[in-house]
Amino acid sequence: MVMDEAARRELRPWLAWMARGADSMGLRPGHLTLLGLLLALGSAVAAARGSWLLALGLWLVSRIPDGMDGVLARMQGTESELGGFLDIMADFAAYGAFVLGVAVGAPAARLACAALLLAYYLNGSVFLAISSLAEKRARQVVEGERSLQFVRGLTEGVETITAHGLMALTGAVAVVWLDELVWVFTGMVAITVVQRVAFGVRVLRD
């Protein structure tokens, strides 16, 4: 949570600079969303093949266009609900595919990866439900510039990016520890689920 906010604050000028470059090349936000997703899927394939350093590189690079698409949309004045929808879908696909790739590439971590996917499923469901119900009630429950009302929690975007990067790095240097790492992050995501459920109960029961 704190890590995500601090990282976004530090990266915002750099993302804006890169977005201006993308704008000068005639790129649109949807192009960046698709590029980020394709790179993330490539990272998942690399992890499944046990090419951990390649998976790490592709994963980290994939998050750059993913972070730029919203910045570019605001810069071009093309923000839309469709763009926000496609962006969140690409994020979920990228996260899930990477974990699936880790499960294939590291059989000993498959149970932990299955648990992490379950935690992601619950976390995403709670997040989307709160955002949808808040919009239905015409309530702004969370401040921010994102398309959806993003409820804060222990694990957000930057924490997840970091955790996935550490998974790939651990696979490269000490795959025996990968199972433990995935379990630890699964626990962190589970805590986020509890935080968001508690938040949802508090703001939606009125």
Side-chain angles (χ1 to χ4, degrees), residues 125-147:
S125 298
V126 172
F127 157 62
L128 292 175
I130 293 174
S131 182
S132 175
L133 291 171
E135 291 295 333
K136 183 178 179 180
R137 292 184 173 199
R139 293 181 59 181
Q140 180 74 22
V141 297
V142 181
E143 297 294 333
E145 58 187 13
R146 298 178 181 179
S147 299

Side-chain angles (χ1 to χ4, degrees), residues 11-27:
L11 291 173
R12 190 171 291 116
W14 295 99
L15 291 174
W17 176 73
M18 289 186 287
R20 284 192 291 272
D23 181 52
S24 68
M25 296 169 61
L27 295 177

Side-chain angles (χ1 to χ4, degrees), residues 50-195:
S51 301
W52 297 108
L53 291 179
L54 177 59
L56 173 61
L58 287 173
W59 174 253
L60 294 179
V61 172
S62 77
R63 298 304 84 196
I64 296 175
D66 176 69
M68 290 169 55
D69 55 4
V71 178
L72 182 61
R74 288 186 288 275
M75 183 179 298
Q76 296 178 340
T78 57
E79 291 178 275
S80 67
E81 293 178 348
L82 175 60
F85 167 72
L86 294 175
D87 183 51
I88 194 66
M89 289 299 298
D91 284 345
F92 284 178
Y95 294 160
F98 184 87
V99 175
L100 180 59
V102 171
V104 174
R110 284 180 181 172
L111 179 58
C113 287
L116 179 54
L117 287 174
L118 173 61
Y120 277 172
Y121 172 80
L122 293 173
N123 194 32
S125 298
V126 172
F127 157 62
L128 292 175
I130 293 174
S131 182
S132 175
L133 291 171
E135 291 295 333
K136 183 178 179 180
R137 292 184 173 199
R139 293 181 59 181
Q140 180 74 22
V141 297
V142 181
E143 297 294 333
E145 58 187 13
R146 298 178 181 179
S147 299
L148 298 175
Q149 299 196 48
F150 201 94
V151 180
R152 296 298 185 188
L154 179 62
T155 56
E156 297 182 20
V158 171
E159 290 84 0
T160 303
I161 293 169
T162 302
H164 284 203
L166 288 175
M167 289 177 202
L169 183 61
T170 302
V173 300
V175 71
V176 67
W177 296 106
L178 188 52
D179 180 64
E180 286 78 3
L181 175 61
V182 177
W183 277 117
V184 168
F185 190 62
T186 299
M188 294 174 65
V189 177
I191 291 172
T192 305
V193 173
V194 173
Q195 290 177 316

